[in-house]
Amino acid sequence: MTEHKLVYEVLLIGDSGNVKRKQPDEILSLLENHLPNSPASLVMFLGDNIYPHGLPEKGDVLREDAELVLKAHHNTVKNFAGKVAFISGNHDWNKGKSDGLAYVLRQEEYLNNLFKQKVFFPENGCPGPTEVFVNEFLAVIAINTQWWVQKGVKPIGADCGCEQQNEEDFFIQLQTLLAKHKNKRILVAGHYPIYSNSLHGGKYKIKHHLFPFTIYKKNAYLPLPFIGSLLPIYRKYYGATEDLSHPRFRILRKKLKAMFRGYPGLTYVAGHEHNLQFIEKYDNSYIVSGAASKSTYVMDSKYSRFGMSAKGFFKLKYYDDLRVKVEVLIVDDNNKDGELVYDGWMN
């Protein structure tokens, strides 16, 4: 049997905005220990890069702390031979508040200056899509999922530095990019998942119906039987702004699912949920890698290949025959190299 060559590696780490500021952080240390030596590699931070409100303006009481978070990211990958990319999440947009654009533009400028190159995608707070990396085997495309649910000003059109004049342009341009790279492996990255077996995907436990405030705080055990079910039902079928069922996000999600089905082998990766998930559905792979700062529950489903509540990240290994190996590494207090908890091949 011919041994095929490893041609590219992608490390996916999301929701890293609450890492330790002034001492070594276990997830960033684990990431650093697993950085490939080859320039044929990419580390992608999947949004919510700064908790709790993104990057405030200079003089704000939270500015110094936010800068420390970004510097911790930079220190982790500053000697990395490969490419580094960041996308934005809802926290980076000041938790979706109407002044969020200013926060994300500040973060883009700060990170690009810190790394002395373009590392923030898509640019200017635009919806995307944007090519992050392309070679003969792989195309990595970033989209801005927060743009779809953002309140207040959100950029569109040439006056804002965006190539997209309207929402329809987003889908036309994404379809064009997917068709352009149809003979490669395609990886599309956005902060919000398309599928999730956890809170934002409307998957709730019995305790959330009996003690609905545990949705927001782990130990908020105020019993509200019967009436307490209204909150998880609302979140599941209508959705808060950060939920997959939110009406605005449903528009994006429905069209992306249909579009992706035309490209078997495509992988969509996201953060947002604070856990690790690998779902395969309709010949596409869906990865959630949002467990850099904390971990929350994940439930099982028919299409789930892997799910775990633990601090860690995904690593994808691309081979010259277009096969992709999936690895999941989690923090282990007794081993600086962590624990490999999943090791398998994509369909």
Side-chain angles (χ1 to χ4, degrees):
M1 182 177 177
T2 303
E3 185 174 338
H4 288 278
K5 181 183 176 184
L6 175 67
V7 292
Y8 208 80
E9 293 183 75
V10 180
L11 285 73
L12 301 163
I13 182 164
D15 299 69
S16 51
N18 203 33
V19 293
K20 293 181 176 66
R21 277 69 160 162
K22 298 181 179 180
Q23 59 187 17
D25 180 83
E26 59 269 29
I27 195 72
L28 292 183
S29 295
L30 180 63
L31 176 66
E32 187 171 6
N33 289 339
H34 285 274
L35 291 175
N37 293 320
S38 168
S41 51
L42 165 68
V43 171
M44 196 161 205
F45 294 97
L46 298 170
D48 284 359
N49 309 311
I50 311 172
Y51 285 120
H53 299 289
L55 185 63
E57 60 186 346
K58 290 181 179 178
D60 188 286
V61 67
L62 295 176
R63 173 72 183 215
E64 181 182 1
D65 183 70
E67 287 188 8
L68 288 174
V69 173
L70 296 182
K71 288 175 182 176
H73 287 73
H74 178 257
N75 288 336
T76 301
V77 295
K78 64 183 179 182
N79 297 319
F80 174 47
K83 185 175 179 61
V84 177
F86 292 79
I87 62 174
S88 63
N90 50 304
H91 282 270
D92 302 309
W93 288 73
N94 194 19
K95 296 181 73 174
K97 294 178 182 176
S98 58
D99 61 349
L101 177 60
Y103 282 74
V104 83
L105 292 180
R106 279 193 292 267
Q107 185 179 151
E108 177 180 1
E109 181 182 21
Y110 189 92
L111 281 170
N112 288 345
N113 288 335
L114 188 62
F115 282 86
K116 296 182 173 57
Q117 60 181 302
K118 179 182 173 182
V119 296
F120 200 88
F121 303 91
E123 295 179 89
N124 304 321
C126 300
T130 301
E131 288 181 338
V132 175
F133 172 82
V134 175
N135 69 8
E136 62 183 303
F137 303 101
L138 172 67
V140 180
I141 299 166
I143 64 172
N144 190 347
T145 56
Q146 182 59 27
W147 187 92
W148 291 84
V149 298
Q150 179 63 27
K151 299 173 185 175
V153 177
K154 51 185 188 178
I156 195 74
D159 290 345
C160 298
C162 301
E163 295 180 11
Q164 304 74 33
Q165 299 302 313
N166 50 52
E167 291 183 6
E168 189 58 32
D169 268 359
F170 167 89
F171 294 108
I172 292 170
Q173 291 180 22
L174 180 58
Q175 182 69 264
T176 299
L177 285 178
L178 298 183
K180 174 184 173 183
H181 299 298
K182 64 182 180 180
N183 295 321
K184 306 173 184 177
R185 280 289 188 168
I186 300 172
L187 187 151
V188 179
H191 179 66
Y192 281 38
I194 300 299
Y195 294 103
S196 173
N197 296 315
S198 191
L199 188 152
H200 294 304
K203 306 293 185 180
Y204 293 99
K205 298 180 177 181
I206 294 296
K207 77 168 186 178
H208 296 132
H209 291 265
L210 297 174
F211 308 100
F213 296 115
T214 57
I215 292 172
Y216 303 105
K217 288 194 174 183
K218 192 175 291 187
N219 296 316
Y221 285 101
L222 175 65
L224 290 172
F226 304 113
I227 194 172
S229 291
L230 295 176
L231 179 58
I233 289 171
Y234 170 82
R235 292 281 301 265
K236 180 174 182 176
Y237 292 106
Y238 184 80
T241 309
E242 66 268 22
D243 291 333
L244 307 193
S245 58
H246 185 271
R248 279 286 297 164
F249 189 71
R250 277 206 304 264
I251 295 170
L252 176 63
R253 185 171 177 255
K254 180 179 179 181
K255 290 190 175 184
L256 289 182
K257 285 193 295 182
M259 192 181 296
F260 291 166
R261 287 183 70 172
Y263 297 90
L266 180 148
T267 304
Y268 179 83
V269 301
H272 199 47
E273 295 279 23
H274 301 144
N275 46 47
L276 303 162
Q277 302 182 52
F278 175 27
I279 297 165
E280 287 193 323
K281 194 168 185 178
Y282 304 128
D283 296 319
N284 297 138
S285 297
Y286 295 89
I287 285 172
V288 178
S289 186
S293 293
K294 53 185 175 180
S295 59
T296 55
Y297 70 92
V298 57
M299 302 174 76
D300 196 15
S301 77
K302 176 182 177 182
Y303 299 100
S304 178
R305 291 276 303 274
F306 173 83
M308 191 173 192
S309 175
K311 291 177 73 172
F313 58 86
F314 276 77
K315 179 187 283 191
L316 306 183
K317 294 182 174 180
Y318 292 83
Y319 289 80
D320 60 1
D321 62 350
L322 298 186
R323 289 192 307 157
V324 185
K325 193 175 189 182
V326 181
E327 296 179 354
V328 181
L329 293 144
I330 65 168
V331 170
D332 181 345
D333 293 337
N334 299 313
N335 183 354
K336 66 181 180 63
D337 292 323
E339 180 184 358
L340 180 66
V341 291
Y342 183 84
D343 183 2
W345 296 91
M346 282 187 182
N347 288 332

